[in-house]
Amino acid sequence: MKNSTTAIVILAAGASARFGSPKQNLMHNGQTLLQHAIKNALCLSDSVIVVLGANYDAIAHTVLNQPVTILHNQNWPLGMASSISMAVKEAGAAYPGITAILFLLCDQPFADAELLGQLTDTAKNSDKGIVASAYNHTLGVPALFKQAYFAHLLRLKGEEGAKKLLMQHADDVARVAFPQGSTDIDTRIDWEKFNQK
């Protein structure tokens, strides 16, 4: 059953500078990494927002047929906080009744629908305001923030991401184990290693 009160935001505005080309368009099992993330998100919610920025024209056409809201963050060089702020504002305006926002990246290929379901289920059954993925002895995305944290998300600046809030409010975070969260695609070497698994 889909979650009608949680919006899912896929942050995909980065320039993939370390990779050298838009990693959102990397093909795996017949889909781009961004299409894969969208597919998993749509398994959980009909309220899905994709934030694009750098390489917008090269990426947007690959997902225009998807039932998602696509945002073009032209301020992406200012840092991830600009994408988070844009998405939070859009979620509030476009999806009345939303009480939580789940953020994920398209370069964590193992962040599948099962994991997203564990995060939303944990949120339902916990009085904690944040639910985060736990890997490499730390907390990170995918991460879910309940409504009490929307204002905090809007106040993030520059390169600050959700990680800052996870650290500041560690006592209000429920954890979901995600051992494969350490696999993300930042460089060509990362991509080669992933494809060898």
Side-chain angles (χ1 to χ4, degrees):
M1 180 181 295
K2 291 193 178 185
N3 189 313
S4 61
T5 60
T6 299
I8 300 181
V9 172
I10 303 171
L11 298 169
S16 305
R18 292 176 62 193
F19 195 86
S21 64
K23 57 188 176 183
Q24 297 92 330
N25 286 348
L26 290 173
M27 296 297 298
H28 181 67
N29 290 338
Q31 290 183 308
T32 68
L33 290 185
L34 180 54
Q35 290 168 346
H36 176 71
I38 289 172
K39 177 183 177 182
N40 287 320
L42 288 171
C43 288
L44 271 293
S45 175
D46 288 323
S47 306
V48 177
I49 296 170
V50 178
V51 186
L52 300 178
N55 306 303
Y56 178 85
D57 291 335
I59 300 166
H61 72 92
T62 70
V63 295
L64 287 177
N65 65 335
Q66 302 281 350
V68 301
T69 298
I70 299 173
L71 302 181
H72 184 188
N73 178 15
Q74 298 186 39
N75 292 321
W76 66 267
L78 298 179
M80 187 176 290
S82 63
S83 290
I84 291 173
S85 177
M86 178 179 277
V88 172
K89 290 174 183 175
E90 177 67 18
Y95 306 118
I98 290 299
T99 59
I101 299 176
L102 194 165
F103 292 94
L104 70 149
L105 309 173
C106 67
D107 62 0
Q108 287 181 304
F110 292 113
D112 58 14
E114 181 179 357
L115 173 70
L116 302 184
Q118 290 174 350
L119 291 163
T120 56
D121 287 346
T122 300
K124 286 180 189 175
N125 299 316
S126 171
D127 60 358
K128 302 291 188 182
I130 304 171
V131 183
S133 301
Y135 48 89
N136 279 0
H137 308 292
T138 189
L139 297 172
V141 292
L144 179 150
F145 294 84
K146 294 182 181 178
Q147 197 163 19
Y149 283 93
F150 289 4
H152 294 75
L153 290 164
L154 290 171
R155 287 196 292 268
L156 293 173
K157 301 294 183 184
E159 293 296 339
E160 293 175 345
K163 183 87 168 181
K164 178 180 180 179
L165 298 182
L166 300 182
M167 299 300 101
Q168 285 183 337
H169 304 277
D171 59 343
D172 197 29
V173 179
R175 300 166 175 243
V176 171
F178 178 33
Q180 293 172 305
S182 56
T183 298
D184 60 9
I185 312 300
D186 281 330
T187 65
R188 298 277 176 180
I189 293 174
D190 294 336
W191 183 238
E192 290 170 6
K193 288 181 179 177
F194 170 67
N195 282 301
Q196 290 169 0
K197 293 183 178 181

